[in-house]
Amino acid sequence: MAQPIKDVVTAMIQPFLDAEGFELVDVEFVKEGSNKFLRVYVDKEGGIDIDDCGRISEVLSEKLDETDPIPEAYFLEVSSPGAERPLKKLSDYERAVQKQVFVTTYEPVEGEKEFEGKLLAFDGETLVVQTPRKKTTIPYAKVASARLAIEF
């Protein structure tokens, strides 16, 4: 079976990102309407700017042209994960402790599937989220998605 595009792209760009001090947040290959998009989300301490995105896009584009792992036409986009950055890796959750988060679960936890509040703790197996109404312990295995949330 062919290796997933996400894994191929990650393997291609990770050495460059590591050497330049960037963090690969996520890679997605999605179809929107009749177009396909390869999106690469990158960050670094202090945030990334348009020049960083351009440089990463140039390097990745060259690498993709060399091996041509995606047979169909697509658009390449390199960007910051934004203010509502997704939490994908364990280290993302660890960095998000004491920050506002929005978490959804695969199945209800204490009768709910959506939690927005402060991430009080994360030990690798459970998240403790303080919402305006209560403190909830959520098993990490039940997390469907999580992201930073903007406080208003």
Side-chain angles (χ1 to χ4, degrees):
M1 189 169 102
Q3 198 177 10
I5 290 170
K6 179 177 180 167
D7 295 344
V8 170
V9 171
T10 298
M12 264 182 203
I13 197 64
Q14 194 70 63
F16 171 78
L17 296 176
D18 290 346
E20 297 292 319
F22 294 107
E23 174 195 359
L24 180 62
V25 175
D26 198 14
V27 174
E28 58 183 25
F29 187 62
V30 294
K31 183 172 182 175
E32 292 178 4
S34 61
N35 296 316
K36 292 206 173 182
F37 294 86
L38 174 60
R39 293 195 175 109
V40 179
Y41 298 97
V42 183
D43 209 354
K44 73 176 180 187
E45 194 67 39
I48 66 168
D49 60 29
I50 193 81
D51 293 333
D52 294 328
C53 291
R55 206 160 49 103
I56 294 163
S57 180
E58 206 171 285
V59 169
L60 181 56
S61 199
E62 284 176 19
K63 291 182 179 298
L64 288 164
D65 288 347
E66 284 171 20
T67 59
D68 202 18
I70 305 170
E72 60 238 283
Y74 62 92
F75 294 96
L76 172 62
E77 296 178 354
V78 175
S79 70
S80 157
E84 293 191 336
R85 173 188 174 137
L87 306 179
K88 299 282 186 173
K89 302 178 280 237
L90 293 176
S91 60
D92 294 339
Y93 287 87
E94 290 162 358
R95 275 197 309 266
V97 171
Q98 298 304 314
K99 295 182 180 170
Q100 280 294 114
V101 295
F102 179 74
V103 178
T104 61
T105 56
Y106 292 113
E107 56 190 60
V109 175
E110 296 180 21
E112 297 181 42
K113 290 177 76 174
E114 292 187 351
F115 305 86
E116 184 162 352
K118 185 181 274 192
L119 180 59
L120 298 178
F122 176 68
D123 65 7
E125 295 185 18
T126 57
L127 294 78
V128 180
V129 178
Q130 177 68 57
T131 66
R133 294 183 292 124
K134 65 180 178 175
K135 187 187 305 184
T136 307
T137 299
I138 304 167
Y140 178 67
K142 290 187 179 183
V143 173
S145 69
R147 62 174 169 76
L148 294 179
I150 297 174
E151 260 184 286
F152 291 100

